Amino acid sequence: YAVLLPLDRLNENLRYMVFTVISVIVVIFGIIMFFNRRFIKDLIRPVSELTAAASAFEADSTAMPDLECDREDEFGLLNRTFMNTVTSINRFVTELKQSQEALQKSEERYRLLVNNADEAIFIAQDGVIKFPNPKTEEMIGYSAAELAKIPFAELIAPEDRAMVTARH
């Protein structure tokens, strides 16, 4: 009996050991969570930055996103690829706008030339005259709406009708 510990002392030692084990487990778990959270944060940060840059570019395609492109990992490669794509899109949009402006200027010059010509200029399509210039309407004596209803061949001199329709 002298070797046995009193029951209340045993409970105290047991409680102390359980408390110590639980404390060690909590500390280990806390350390794991700290490093895991930091790892996840380091992993998610570049993805979040790229997502934010893509959203900003979508809202304003003229603004160049600010991304960390000098990284030597997959995120650096992804960022460089994204930036190259943004640059290509901006170049394409600029060229497209320039082409549209050039086309509008060309169409306006063509329209002025056709509308102010002293000769009849028109497009014959589907057997009728479409898109006549003012001189065509003046020379033939019909409006554009009337010309769209009259068969094209009826407006040609009878002696030239076969040749013109064959070439048309």
Side-chain angles (χ1 to χ4, degrees), residues 32-44:
I32 290 171
M33 289 305 296
F34 172 77
F35 285 109
N36 194 22
R37 183 183 303 155
R38 187 169 177 191
F39 173 74
I40 289 173
K41 199 181 240 184
D42 287 344
L43 186 66
I44 290 177

Coordinates of all heavy atoms in Angstrom, one line a residue, residues 32-44:
I32 N 1.2 23.8 -37.7 CA 0.9 23.3 -39.1 C -0.1 24.2 -39.8 O 0.1 24.5 -41.0 CB 0.2 21.8 -38.9 CG1 1.3 20.8 -38.5 CG2 -0.4 21.4 -40.2 CD1 0.8 19.5 -38.1
M33 N -1.1 24.7 -39.1 CA -2.0 25.6 -39.7 C -1.4 26.9 -40.1 O -1.7 27.5 -41.1 CB -3.2 25.9 -38.7 CG -4.1 24.7 -38.5 SD -4.8 24.1 -40.1 CE -5.7 25.5 -40.6
F34 N -0.4 27.4 -39.3 CA 0.3 28.7 -39.6 C 1.0 28.5 -40.9 O 0.9 29.3 -41.8 CB 1.2 29.1 -38.5 CG 2.1 30.2 -38.8 CD1 1.6 31.5 -38.8 CD2 3.5 30.0 -39.2 CE1 2.5 32.6 -39.2 CE2 4.3 31.1 -39.5 CZ 3.8 32.4 -39.5
F35 N 1.8 27.4 -41.0 CA 2.6 27.2 -42.2 C 1.7 26.9 -43.4 O 1.9 27.3 -44.5 CB 3.7 26.2 -42.0 CG 4.8 26.7 -41.2 CD1 5.1 26.3 -39.9 CD2 5.7 27.7 -41.7 CE1 6.1 26.8 -39.2 CE2 6.7 28.2 -41.0 CZ 7.0 27.7 -39.7
N36 N 0.6 26.1 -43.1 CA -0.3 25.8 -44.2 C -1.0 27.0 -44.7 O -1.1 27.2 -45.9 CB -1.3 24.7 -43.7 CG -2.1 24.1 -44.8 OD1 -1.6 24.0 -45.9 ND2 -3.2 23.5 -44.4
R37 N -1.5 27.9 -43.8 CA -2.1 29.1 -44.2 C -1.2 30.0 -45.0 O -1.5 30.6 -46.0 CB -2.6 29.9 -43.0 CG -3.4 31.1 -43.4 CD -3.9 32.0 -42.3 NE -4.7 31.2 -41.4 CZ -4.9 31.5 -40.1 NH1 -4.2 32.6 -39.6 NH2 -5.6 30.9 -39.3
R38 N 0.1 30.1 -44.5 CA 1.1 30.9 -45.2 C 1.3 30.3 -46.6 O 1.4 31.0 -47.6 CB 2.3 30.9 -44.4 CG 3.3 31.9 -45.0 CD 4.5 32.1 -44.0 NE 5.4 33.0 -44.7 CZ 6.6 33.3 -44.2 NH1 7.0 32.7 -43.1 NH2 7.4 34.1 -44.8
F39 N 1.4 29.0 -46.7 CA 1.6 28.3 -48.0 C 0.5 28.6 -48.9 O 0.6 28.9 -50.1 CB 1.8 26.8 -47.8 CG 1.9 26.0 -49.0 CD1 3.0 26.1 -49.8 CD2 0.8 25.3 -49.5 CE1 3.1 25.3 -51.0 CE2 0.9 24.5 -50.6 CZ 2.0 24.6 -51.4
I40 N -0.7 28.4 -48.4 CA -1.9 28.7 -49.2 C -2.0 30.1 -49.6 O -2.3 30.4 -50.8 CB -3.2 28.2 -48.4 CG1 -3.2 26.7 -48.3 CG2 -4.5 28.7 -49.1 CD1 -4.3 26.2 -47.5
K41 N -1.7 31.0 -48.7 CA -1.7 32.4 -49.1 C -0.7 32.7 -50.2 O -1.0 33.5 -51.1 CB -1.3 33.3 -47.8 CG -1.7 34.7 -47.9 CD -1.3 35.4 -46.6 CE -2.5 36.0 -45.9 NZ -2.1 36.7 -44.7
D42 N 0.5 32.2 -50.1 CA 1.5 32.3 -51.1 C 1.1 31.7 -52.4 O 1.5 32.2 -53.5 CB 2.9 31.7 -50.7 CG 3.6 32.6 -49.6 OD1 3.1 33.7 -49.4 OD2 4.5 32.1 -49.0
L43 N 0.3 30.7 -52.3 CA -0.2 30.0 -53.5 C -1.3 30.7 -54.2 O -1.4 30.9 -55.4 CB -0.6 28.6 -53.2 CG -1.0 27.6 -54.3 CD1 0.2 27.3 -55.2 CD2 -1.6 26.4 -53.8
I44 N -2.2 31.3 -53.4 CA -3.4 32.0 -53.9 C -3.1 33.4 -54.3 O -3.8 33.9 -55.2 CB -4.5 31.9 -52.8 CG1 -5.0 30.5 -52.7 CG2 -5.7 32.8 -53.1 CD1 -6.0 30.3 -51.6

